[in-house]
Amino acid sequence: MEITRQNFKESLSTVYSAVEEADFLAIDGEFSGISDGPSVSALTNGMDTPEERYGKLRKHSMDFLLFQFGLCTFRYDQTQAKYLTKSFNFYIFPKPFSRTSPDIKFICQSSSIDFLASQGFDFNKVFRSGIPYLNQEEESQLREQYEEKRNQMNGSGTPSYISPSSGKAAVNVPDEHKDFISRVFSVYPSLRFQRKLIYQTLNWKFPKGLHIETVETEKKERFIQVSKVDEEERRRMEQQKQEREQEELNDAVGFSRVVHAISKSGKLVVGHNMLLDVMHTIHQFYCPLPEELEDFKEVTMCVFPRLLDTKLMASTQPFKDLITNTSLAELEKQLKEKPFKAPKVDCCEGFQCYDTASEQLHEAGYDAYITGLCFISMANYLGTFLTPPKPHISARSKLIEPFYNKLFLMRVIDIPYLNISGPDLQPKRDHVLYVTFPKEWKTSDLYQLFSAFGNIQVSWIDDTSAFVSLSQVEQVQIAMNTSQYAESYRIQTYAEYMQSKHKHTHTNRKWGEDGWLCQCLFFVFIYLFICMFVYRSVTGKRSISPTQEDQSSDFSGVADSNWSHYSKKIKTDGKRLCILVYLFIYLFYLNVLYF
């Protein structure tokens, strides 16, 4: 079923019931791009840690838009011994529904757009008919705006007018608006503040018998509609107004309501290589992704308590030795052959029946559908190990639990998955070297450099650095010894590299936490030193007592003149000191303000 903004509301109940009755759900997403800077090889380096991979994807992938979301529900019919499916293909676009709605900015990657276009993707349906959405924070802000607007216009606890006895303070009418208020029924207010003044004035002058409402035309022109009504009619109109506002709010939340239903169901959610799908879904429809991986795991477990990645499942025993290609299309084909068996599946009445022979790949609904088929085939294969064998394995079976909440990590050989519900694997990597070299070097140069060590694996980090994995740990020290006098390149062990990286990260974090205080103390010390130096240079080593030359003259006559002389010096020096103190305070203020 194809769902756009035009048929979203009428289809929502169908989506809800499909999710509620399903045994498991399969999802897939299509995006406007993958990486805003690094190449895919750099974005998915073979030596990434889970923290590094998450940080890269969060930094370089979240400004793209998930604009097509595929959902396929699977329900097992015991009487027919087959699965019944309901497929949904949602087109999504963050169209602002009002002037106060978030105006979302996103980016596109030309290669991704070109690829989707070559697959027949209909971008018109996204941009013209895409379903809007809000994340939870935006939804909360919008609800507060509605509530604030209602209170401002009508008074807290008073549905249609501000009562003089309500205790709510009135807005003072500025002089420049008094003439406008006197002509209120003959003009269209162009300012929000003027509309507020009209509401207030009418409600205070006519506490009963009027219903006031701001109306917007099809051309987005706004005017105030004043109706003379009795109390019962006023309450009815106010109730209708609140229902319209609630409907507007629901329309603005849009597709997020589907994601909320999936989350609330607690059903198993299946995807293929689904880390990006999960990250984008949370980022767009729930909340911005947290900086730390552990916080992301907590959020994910709250939104999707049970996840399963079919690419990871196919890459793990007992499937690993039987499956040669884990790309979605090839996986679906291989799982039809022995020792596997294609599942019995049929679509429900009124829903699109996909034909896998036609391969409608990169339509999110179709990809979600064949992802579900792959899961069923692999789950049923696990049933062959039971005694006696079982032809059908439920999505709630304990045989499936080892694959829960583990998301496939692309191109990382020794860390195959990101563990959402627990600690991640920590391989030693004693055989790995970190190499820095000139920008002109290519992969062939690295192979030539390490040719004496047999087979190696190169994982590029950027233009001037890469990881080199040796076949034997014993070769590491030899490589380190031979590089001591090299001028064009430098080698570190993986442990040394990680230690320096953690030290750098810790220093930056410490500076971020304590840097402001340390910086202020440093500048205070510098300012005080400068002030003391300047003060000493200005005042010199003066004494209040008269000089020897002054003492040789008449003391009584000279004493007064000396005292007057030195008192003037003290006043002058005091002024200078005050100026220095003020200068110190000003410089300290600038430091706090700009640093």
Side-chain angles (χ1 to χ4, degrees), residues 9 146 242-252 257:
K9 285 197 291 187
Y146 273 120
Q242 292 185 13
E243 290 174 355
R244 287 196 302 272
E245 289 179 349
Q246 183 61 45
E247 189 69 18
E248 288 178 358
L249 181 61
N250 291 337
D251 291 343
R257 300 169 69 184

Side-chain angles (χ1 to χ4, degrees), residues 226-256:
V226 182
S227 305
K228 186 175 181 180
V229 294
D230 57 26
E231 186 65 15
E232 184 178 347
E233 180 69 8
R234 181 194 60 76
R235 293 184 182 276
R236 185 185 65 81
M237 295 178 70
E238 184 62 30
Q239 180 65 30
Q240 291 176 347
K241 178 182 176 182
Q242 292 185 13
E243 290 174 355
R244 287 196 302 272
E245 289 179 349
Q246 183 61 45
E247 189 69 18
E248 288 178 358
L249 181 61
N250 291 337
D251 291 343
V253 175
F255 180 74
S256 298

Side-chain angles (χ1 to χ4, degrees), residues 173-180:
V173 181
D175 293 338
E176 64 268 24
H177 291 292
K178 288 181 178 179
D179 181 61
F180 164 76

Side-chain angles (χ1 to χ4, degrees), residues 11 42 76 82 212 267 333 372 415 463 553 558 573 586 589:
S11 304
Y76 189 70
K82 66 179 180 181
I212 312 165
K267 302 289 177 67
K333 293 176 183 177
I415 308 178
D463 291 340
S553 59
V558 177
D573 294 344
Y586 177 69
Y589 170 76

Side-chain angles (χ1 to χ4, degrees), residues 378-571:
M378 289 189 286
N380 289 344
Y381 177 73
L382 294 175
T384 63
F385 294 93
L386 298 176
T387 305
K390 286 187 176 181
H392 167 68
I393 296 298
S394 166
R396 293 178 293 274
S397 171
K398 290 188 177 296
L399 294 175
I400 311 298
E401 289 184 3
F403 302 100
Y404 281 173
N405 300 325
K406 295 179 176 66
L407 306 185
F408 183 76
L409 286 179
M410 288 183 62
R411 297 187 174 92
V412 183
I413 300 173
D414 52 2
I415 308 178
Y417 59 83
L418 177 67
N419 189 1
I420 298 297
S421 57
D424 292 301
L425 300 175
Q426 300 291 334
K428 287 187 176 181
R429 295 180 174 175
D430 294 338
H431 64 297
V432 179
L433 297 172
Y434 172 70
V435 188
T436 56
F437 42 80
K439 190 174 182 179
E440 295 77 19
W441 279 33
K442 299 179 175 60
T443 303
S444 58
D445 296 306
L446 291 172
Y447 275 105
Q448 184 176 357
L449 178 64
F450 292 95
S451 59
F453 300 99
N455 293 328
I456 66 169
Q457 288 185 336
V458 177
S459 301
W460 284 81
I461 301 173
D462 52 38
D463 291 340
T464 60
S465 63
F467 291 115
V468 175
S469 302
L470 304 180
S471 56
Q472 299 177 22
V473 177
E474 294 77 12
Q475 297 173 335
V476 169
Q477 192 57 49
I478 300 174
M480 295 291 294
N481 293 337
T482 57
S483 67
Q484 288 182 358
Y485 304 103
E487 296 181 359
S488 60
Y489 66 92
R490 184 169 179 265
I491 295 179
Q492 285 182 291
T493 65
Y494 182 81
E496 290 172 342
Y497 164 76
M498 291 301 293
Q499 184 178 7
S500 62
K501 183 176 181 179
H502 287 158
K503 183 178 180 180
H504 177 71
T505 303
H506 176 75
T507 301
N508 287 345
R509 186 172 299 171
K510 193 68 178 174
W511 180 256
E513 294 171 354
D514 303 331
W516 183 86
L517 178 60
C518 295
Q519 191 176 26
C520 286
L521 292 175
F522 173 75
F523 277 101
V524 166
F525 174 78
I526 295 297
Y527 297 156
L528 286 174
F529 179 80
I530 293 173
C531 290
M532 291 176 61
F533 177 79
V534 173
Y535 179 72
R536 293 275 293 178
S537 64
V538 170
T539 60
K541 295 182 178 180
R542 293 188 174 93
S543 171
I544 292 182
S545 62
T547 62
Q548 295 294 327
E549 182 181 356
D550 292 330
Q551 289 179 356
S552 62
S553 59
D554 182 22
F555 180 80
S556 61
V558 177
D560 292 336
S561 62
N562 283 339
W563 177 253
S564 176
H565 170 75
Y566 283 106
S567 64
K568 291 179 181 178
K569 290 289 185 183
I570 292 173
K571 290 179 180 178

Side-chain angles (χ1 to χ4, degrees), residues 117-365:
S118 69
Q119 301 295 314
F121 190 90
D122 191 344
F123 291 97
N124 282 331
K125 287 182 180 177
V126 171
F127 301 129
R128 296 184 63 181
S129 304
I131 307 164
Y133 61 86
L134 296 176
N135 64 31
Q136 288 190 328
E137 182 179 353
E138 292 165 345
E139 179 184 351
S140 177
Q141 290 175 352
L142 186 59
R143 291 185 185 278
E144 289 177 1
Q145 288 175 8
Y146 273 120
E147 188 64 28
E148 181 182 0
K149 178 182 175 182
R150 191 178 297 118
N151 290 338
Q152 285 180 347
M153 299 305 182
N154 302 321
S156 180
T158 311
S160 68
Y161 61 89
I162 299 179
S163 169
S165 60
S166 65
K168 190 168 183 66
V171 175
N172 291 327
V173 181
D175 293 338
E176 64 268 24
H177 291 292
K178 288 181 178 179
D179 181 61
F180 164 76
I181 289 297
S182 67
R183 297 181 290 108
V184 66
F185 291 104
S186 60
V187 298
Y188 277 40
S190 58
L191 301 175
R192 182 180 178 184
F193 182 67
Q194 290 179 335
R195 289 194 298 271
K196 183 175 180 179
L197 291 176
I198 293 175
Y199 271 84
Q200 176 181 279
T201 303
L202 290 176
N203 282 323
W204 274 75
K205 286 188 175 182
F206 307 99
K208 292 184 179 181
L210 289 183
H211 179 268
I212 312 165
E213 183 177 1
T214 299
V215 179
E216 189 174 273
T217 67
E218 293 182 357
K219 296 181 179 180
K220 303 298 181 181
E221 296 174 342
R222 309 187 77 180
F223 63 93
I224 293 176
Q225 185 179 76
V226 182
S227 305
K228 186 175 181 180
V229 294
D230 57 26
E231 186 65 15
E232 184 178 347
E233 180 69 8
R234 181 194 60 76
R235 293 184 182 276
R236 185 185 65 81
M237 295 178 70
E238 184 62 30
Q239 180 65 30
Q240 291 176 347
K241 178 182 176 182
Q242 292 185 13
E243 290 174 355
R244 287 196 302 272
E245 289 179 349
Q246 183 61 45
E247 189 69 18
E248 288 178 358
L249 181 61
N250 291 337
D251 291 343
V253 175
F255 180 74
S256 298
R257 300 169 69 184
V258 174
V259 181
H260 296 165
I262 294 173
S263 174
K264 187 178 178 180
S265 73
K267 302 289 177 67
L268 175 66
V269 177
V270 178
H272 188 82
N273 197 12
M274 66 187 306
L275 178 56
L276 266 181
D277 298 283
V278 172
M279 291 177 69
H280 271 283
T281 301
I282 292 174
H283 184 71
Q284 284 187 211
F285 310 122
Y286 269 89
C287 62
L289 293 180
E291 291 187 9
E292 301 297 328
L293 175 60
E294 292 304 314
D295 295 332
F296 166 72
K297 290 182 178 183
E298 289 185 16
V299 172
T300 303
M301 289 300 296
C302 291
V303 178
F304 299 118
R306 287 194 298 162
L307 294 169
L308 188 143
D309 194 325
T310 52
K311 189 172 182 70
L312 175 69
M313 193 175 184
S315 306
T316 310
Q317 296 294 0
F319 307 101
K320 185 177 181 179
D321 295 336
L322 303 172
I323 297 172
T324 58
N325 190 329
T326 59
S327 67
L328 184 57
E330 293 300 317
L331 178 62
E332 189 271 333
K333 293 176 183 177
Q334 292 183 57
L335 290 174
K336 292 178 179 177
E337 309 295 332
K338 291 184 178 181
F340 307 105
K341 187 177 180 181
K344 293 182 179 180
V345 178
D346 197 2
C347 61
C348 294
E349 183 179 355
F351 285 86
Q352 181 177 0
C353 292
Y354 286 114
D355 181 9
T356 56
S358 63
E359 288 196 351
Q360 296 173 251
L361 294 170
H362 304 290
E363 179 182 294

